[in-house]
Amino acid sequence: MTAETEERPGRVAYQGAPGAFSHEACLDLRPWDEAVGHETFQGAIDAVLSGDCHCALIPVENSTVGVVEPAATLVREAGLTPISDAWRPIRLALLGVPDARLSDVKTAESHPVALQQCTKALGEMKIVAVEVFDTGGAAAAVAEAGDVTRAAVAPARAAEVYGLSVLRNDLQDFSDNRTRFVLFTVPQA
């Protein structure tokens, strides 16, 4: 990152709800910026193109599943300029309502890419994966439902955000699971 982008506070767009891996990455990598969540990758990209946010932090590659789609294609098609990137370790946690036990859980919901990173672990526990738009959104939905049979696959910090319990840490199938987040902005004229 250039000194100019590091020192100038602004708004950074990301895909997801508070507690999502992208939100976590924004807080850790751009603590001086306001992190602005969007339901879709396109929404985060549009926020940069419209000038509502000065940059977007988008996951484009994962060491377990490869290219993160549709994110990688959308940023390429939008013509955004990469400013910097960072590989971050991704540690998946299984989150449930406070009264839940691991043996209660029947389904785990999360972003499709996160679910692909823990298919073996979920299969061994006989937990059915349910795709939703986001890891943080999954945690919010599980908290709201209050159902001990539902869990979310999300960062452990999302448990704090939504009042959930961590039923199992390190759910990812590979210990070196990492995601490459790229900071994008509009091309300079």
Side-chain angles (χ1 to χ4, degrees), residues 59-70 87 90 92 111-120 172-174 176-180:
V60 296
E61 184 179 0
N62 176 268
S63 61
T64 301
V65 300
V67 176
V68 175
E69 289 294 358
W87 280 95
I90 300 295
L92 301 169
H111 188 278
V113 174
L115 292 172
Q116 291 172 23
Q117 296 167 39
C118 60
T119 54
K120 181 180 175 193
Q172 66 279 353
D173 292 336
F174 300 99
D176 64 343
N177 190 36
R178 298 172 296 127
T179 294
R180 180 174 163 239

Side-chain angles (χ1 to χ4, degrees), residues 13-186:
Y14 69 94
Q15 182 274 324
F21 283 106
S22 292
H23 181 241
E24 195 173 71
C26 287
L27 296 178
D28 292 347
L29 300 172
R30 309 270 312 166
W32 55 87
D33 280 338
E34 176 188 355
V36 182
H38 297 271
E39 188 168 327
T40 64
F41 290 116
Q42 189 63 59
I45 291 165
D46 288 346
V48 175
L49 294 173
S50 73
D52 183 51
C53 292
H54 74 283
C55 59
L57 191 62
I58 306 287
V60 296
E61 184 179 0
N62 176 268
S63 61
T64 301
V65 300
V67 176
V68 175
E69 289 294 358
T73 297
L74 291 171
V75 292
R76 185 176 60 251
E77 290 173 351
L80 295 178
T81 299
I83 299 172
S84 65
D85 69 336
W87 280 95
R88 294 183 44 85
I90 300 295
R91 300 292 173 253
L92 301 169
L94 189 67
L95 311 179
V97 295
D99 296 339
R101 296 171 308 192
L102 190 55
S103 60
D104 296 327
V105 176
K106 304 294 180 223
T107 63
E109 48 202 81
S110 193
H111 188 278
V113 174
L115 292 172
Q116 291 172 23
Q117 296 167 39
C118 60
T119 54
K120 181 180 175 193
L122 291 177
E124 288 171 353
M125 293 184 290
K126 296 181 178 29
I127 295 175
V128 176
V130 177
E131 293 184 1
V132 296
F133 83 97
D134 172 58
T135 55
V142 166
E144 185 177 319
D147 181 347
V148 298
T149 67
R150 288 175 62 182
V153 174
R157 286 195 329 200
E160 298 170 22
V161 174
Y162 298 105
L164 297 172
S165 296
V166 176
L167 302 175
R168 180 173 162 188
N169 273 310
D170 287 326
L171 194 64
Q172 66 279 353
D173 292 336
F174 300 99
S175 62
D176 64 343
N177 190 36
R178 298 172 296 127
T179 294
R180 180 174 163 239
F181 288 87
V182 179
L183 188 66
F184 292 97
T185 190
V186 294

